[in-house]
Amino acid sequence: MDSNASETPSTQPETPFHDLDHYLAIPRVGGLALSTDGSRLVTTVSTLNAKGTEYVTALWELDPAGKKHARRITRSAKGETGAVFAANGDLYFTSARPDPDSPEADPVSALWLLPADGGEARVVHSRAGGIGGVMAASAADATFVTASVLAGSTDEENDEERRKSRKDNKVAAILHTGYPVRYWDADLGPAQPRLFAVENGGAAESGKPATVDATAPLKLRNLTPDVGGNLRNTHAVVSPDGKTIYTSLAKPLAKADTRFVLAAVDVASGSIKVLLDHEGMSYFPGPVSPDNKMLSVVSESDSTPGQAPQVKLHLLNVGAGETLDLEPLAPGWDRWGNPAAWLPDGHSLLVTADDDGATPVFRVAVADGTVTRVTQDAAAYTDVVVSPDGLSAFALRSSYEFPAEAVRIELASGDVERLPAPAERPTIKGKLERVETSAADGSRVPAYLALPEGASGANPAPLLLWIHGGPLGSWNAWTWRWNPWLLVSKGYAVLLPDPALSTGYGQQFIQRGWGEWGKAPYTDLMSITDAVVQRPDIDQARTAAMGGSFGGYMANWVAGHTDRFKAIVTHASLWAMDQFGPTTDASQYWLKEMTAEMALDNSPHLHVGKIKTPMLVIHGDKDYRVPIGEGLRLWYELLSSSGLPADENGETQHRFLYFPDENHWILQPQHAKVWYGVVEHFLSRQVLGQDVPLPEDLGL
């Protein structure tokens, strides 16, 4: 995966996957917003900056009719995100680019507006703490934002003063009074999220000549001043009439536990009413019906050591006054649905859900809960929005054959058309197959198999088993972080299985592995590997296993239970389960999932003495989900206690790739390049017996 910065067209790689610099330069599409009249469709595109050190985002407009070319509508060094259309067609977004009217101000993520009738974007509100997400009512002149406030601030002016004081005095300390204290890679506090209404701040300054585009300043009205930290990591939706915001709220419980209740925020008064609050359940709002009367709701039951969580769809009649009846929607449907959008007549709801290696769009009838699959291809759909006539929907679609792209879905036929895009699909050389086998209990073990060109009985490919994270997830959508085609371009076949605990195969498929990670998930992985290595185009003598997060846990478990693989790569992995449980950022969930005895019974570190396979350990220091202590302990115990310890000269076949400033994911482009370069070097040496140079930037 070497690169040459001075390449000419004649020396271009066969595909972007044959060169990491070309791979990292592939534009990345994310998010989708549709104007209320259906005439404008906007997405966000991330591209690599000139130095190749970070991605910069921009807004692009797509043609909903699929006839005109995509066109870029914003451009700045800081980038733009979070596009949302107001009911009048104005486009709101957030950006930290400098405000032309206040060039001396420190750059923060401000609220910008791009007028519906054209012209330059302008800042409509900026604050010291920045602006988070933007929401807008679809049928009313009502706009809202999320933004953080220091817990003790009395108003916006006081918040700015206190932020300045902390910054000037270089104070980063946080005094906690509750749990959690961090999330993924973010330290929580002292700032807390709030919901604000964006309102007119009064008349523009009078008495001085001005141009005709002069507008009154906007202000923010805090709708949730007393909510504390309970809006952290929650989701909110706005009713079409703009009168109510529905949001989940974290509810602190005894012994540092938490669950989420469902609340309604009255926009006029700022009063908050809890609508759903039941022991052992969490609730999350989905879209509100066009008539403002029905709220789609997702419930998730608390897990226990013996029972996996259950995710269900519901409807809540919020237009019925004081009587709120939560009705199940499609109760017999054995999938975890994510409500995406209502059809304009209010009779059906579009829902996405993992399903057998895909994430299709489904239509759910409100009257009887009938579920109809709309999209028939083996792709994953996200960001679904519906045209005002209800005849079509727009979404982002991806699969392991192409990254996310905007499409139009004809809802009657299910036909899907790719819209003219900001970039072409990257060329892939190889093929993708769907394979499966049966587990000992008769359960299916499905997988994708990505094969290099030329793999055959005469030229069998070495096999890489890739184990997904979660574990409640599925290999069903394009991923930039775990992209099989980079290794396929080097001649490997990549196996992407969905073992027990994977979503998209029903509740019982999840339950099979619940609380017993080292049993059904492990044996499922070995069963599908056994089946695939029997193929003549696979070289069963040259195999390796890889995984991250839960997949890294499973890679560690595999290492201690079989020596069938030539090498194992474990990224951000769980190692000592008694240590992991109390130190992860969400211990309250983990400690409900397994008892202490179950955790030890499933802990890979107890089998370190059986590890005889060379391992590449990868971990980021800012990983709060799987703290760095897991990687540090794994590394030391591999060298000191494994069946393949460091020798008398301190030399080892194991390797530890450490990122001091990365988190659970390796996000910086040049670090991603190092990640893949080290993985290729390690696998080439251990699996192929070849010496591929290490990335030069390692300084070795």
Side-chain angles (χ1 to χ4, degrees), residues 347-362:
H347 295 164
S348 300
L349 187 66
L350 295 186
V351 174
T352 59
D354 288 353
D355 185 66
D356 202 359
T359 308
V361 176
F362 298 88

Side-chain angles (χ1 to χ4, degrees), residues 126-146:
S126 182
R127 58 188 301 276
I131 299 292
V134 187
M135 299 180 289
S138 60
D141 180 17
T143 306
F144 309 90
V145 298
T146 58

Side-chain angles (χ1 to χ4, degrees), residues 144 195-197 199 221-227 231 242-245 247 249 263-273:
F144 309 90
L195 293 170
F196 291 87
E199 298 180 338
R221 178 165 59 92
N222 193 339
L223 299 175
T224 56
D226 302 319
V227 78
L231 277 172
K243 295 180 179 180
T244 310
I245 298 175
T247 183
L249 284 177
V265 181
D266 180 74
V267 171
S269 66
S271 63
I272 300 176
K273 179 182 179 181

Side-chain angles (χ1 to χ4, degrees), residues 469-695:
L472 301 176
S474 171
W475 289 121
N476 56 23
W478 184 273
T479 168
W480 296 103
R481 275 300 309 121
W482 287 82
N483 195 289
W485 301 109
L486 289 168
L487 277 302
V488 169
S489 71
K490 302 303 175 184
Y492 296 95
V494 179
L495 179 64
L496 305 160
D498 279 347
L501 293 172
S502 299
T503 54
Y505 306 94
Q507 190 71 26
Q508 181 54 36
F509 199 83
I510 297 170
Q511 190 63 43
R512 287 178 59 235
W514 195 255
E516 297 182 322
W517 289 8
K519 294 186 179 179
Y522 169 69
T523 56
D524 283 0
L525 291 169
M526 295 304 99
S527 294
I528 190 65
T529 303
D530 288 340
V532 169
V533 296
Q534 298 304 312
R535 295 169 54 118
D537 53 0
I538 299 297
D539 185 350
Q540 61 180 305
R542 296 186 296 166
T543 62
M546 300 175 59
S549 195
F550 167 79
Y553 158 88
M554 191 55 68
N556 295 339
W557 187 267
V558 167
H561 286 78
T562 179
D563 58 1
R564 66 183 297 169
F565 297 105
K566 297 288 187 181
I568 290 178
V569 179
T570 180
H571 170 89
S573 64
L574 290 66
W575 173 242
M577 306 291 264
D578 56 340
Q579 171 181 279
F580 165 78
T583 59
T584 180
D585 62 347
S587 297
Q588 73 276 26
Y589 293 109
W590 171 254
L591 298 177
K592 283 188 290 189
E593 186 165 326
M594 287 191 188
T595 65
E597 294 75 17
M598 292 167 66
L600 275 178
D601 192 44
N602 287 275
S603 189
H605 84 283
L606 296 179
H607 307 278
V608 64
K610 300 177 183 176
I611 295 179
K612 300 179 181 179
T613 305
M615 297 186 70
L616 169 60
V617 179
I618 309 175
H619 222 111
D621 198 86
K622 296 291 288 182
D623 186 348
Y624 295 164
R625 181 53 49 95
V626 183
I628 185 60
E630 298 297 300
L632 294 174
R633 183 170 172 180
L634 168 57
W635 178 241
Y636 175 73
E637 293 185 350
L638 281 176
L639 301 191
S640 64
S641 311
S642 75
L644 188 64
D647 65 19
E648 60 273 11
N649 297 316
E651 296 184 358
T652 177
Q653 295 184 58
H654 306 299
R655 294 291 184 268
F656 183 15
L657 179 59
Y658 169 67
F659 293 94
D661 57 350
E662 292 282 7
N663 57 29
H664 199 63
W665 306 276
I666 308 304
L667 299 178
Q668 297 176 52
Q670 293 304 311
H671 280 168
K673 184 176 176 181
V674 168
W675 193 98
Y676 277 110
V678 172
V679 167
E680 187 195 354
H681 165 84
F682 183 75
L683 293 176
S684 294
R685 173 171 289 187
Q686 302 297 339
V687 179
L688 306 182
Q690 300 173 2
D691 193 10
V692 171
L694 284 165

Side-chain angles (χ1 to χ4, degrees), residues 123-409:
V123 174
V124 292
H125 193 81
S126 182
R127 58 188 301 276
I131 299 292
V134 187
M135 299 180 289
S138 60
D141 180 17
T143 306
F144 309 90
V145 298
T146 58
S148 66
V149 173
L150 291 177
S153 299
T154 57
D155 55 29
E156 286 287 86
E157 183 177 344
N158 179 241
D159 189 67
E160 182 173 0
E161 292 173 353
R162 299 171 83 216
R163 288 178 184 274
K164 185 176 185 302
S165 177
R166 281 178 63 89
K167 180 180 179 181
D168 291 348
N169 292 310
K170 301 186 184 301
V171 174
I174 304 168
L175 177 64
H176 291 285
T177 60
Y179 192 84
V181 301
R182 52 191 194 170
Y183 186 71
W184 287 111
D185 63 346
D187 294 303
L188 302 182
Q192 300 171 340
R194 300 284 187 266
L195 293 170
F196 291 87
V198 182
E199 298 180 338
N200 193 315
E205 186 178 2
S206 58
K208 297 179 180 178
T211 57
V212 295
D213 69 338
T215 57
L218 297 180
K219 67 176 182 179
L220 301 184
R221 178 165 59 92
N222 193 339
L223 299 175
T224 56
D226 302 319
V227 78
N230 297 331
L231 277 172
R232 286 182 180 134
N233 310 316
T234 59
H235 173 66
V237 298
V238 180
S239 60
D241 61 12
K243 295 180 179 180
T244 310
I245 298 175
Y246 298 98
T247 183
S248 48
L249 284 177
K251 181 175 182 176
L253 303 173
K255 299 182 179 180
D257 198 1
T258 306
R259 59 181 172 83
F260 291 90
V261 302
L262 183 69
V265 181
D266 180 74
V267 171
S269 66
S271 63
I272 300 176
K273 179 182 179 181
V274 175
L275 305 180
L276 296 173
D277 179 359
H278 296 101
E279 185 177 353
M281 298 294 294
S282 287
Y283 298 98
F284 308 94
V288 184
S289 63
D291 63 3
N292 302 287
K293 294 181 178 179
M294 302 298 293
L295 174 68
S296 57
V297 177
V298 175
S299 70
E300 181 176 343
S301 63
D302 283 354
S303 62
T304 70
Q307 180 64 55
Q310 297 190 44
V311 177
K312 301 289 186 182
L313 290 174
H314 307 268
L315 292 177
L316 185 65
N317 188 349
V318 293
E322 294 299 318
T323 304
L324 295 174
D325 294 322
L326 186 67
E327 298 292 338
L329 180 63
W333 189 37
D334 195 15
R335 294 294 183 269
W336 288 7
N338 176 41
W342 287 83
L343 294 188
D345 60 11
H347 295 164
S348 300
L349 187 66
L350 295 186
V351 174
T352 59
D354 288 353
D355 185 66
D356 202 359
T359 308
V361 176
F362 298 88
R363 181 192 298 110
V364 183
V366 169
D368 59 7
T370 300
V371 179
T372 304
R373 181 167 175 168
V374 177
T375 58
Q376 301 300 319
D377 54 353
Y381 290 80
T382 63
D383 301 274
V384 180
V385 292
V386 177
S387 64
D389 60 12
L391 298 179
S392 57
F394 301 91
L396 295 184
R397 173 186 67 173
S398 77
S399 78
Y400 278 106
E401 296 181 301
F402 50 85
E405 58 188 25
V407 297
R408 184 177 62 246
I409 306 165

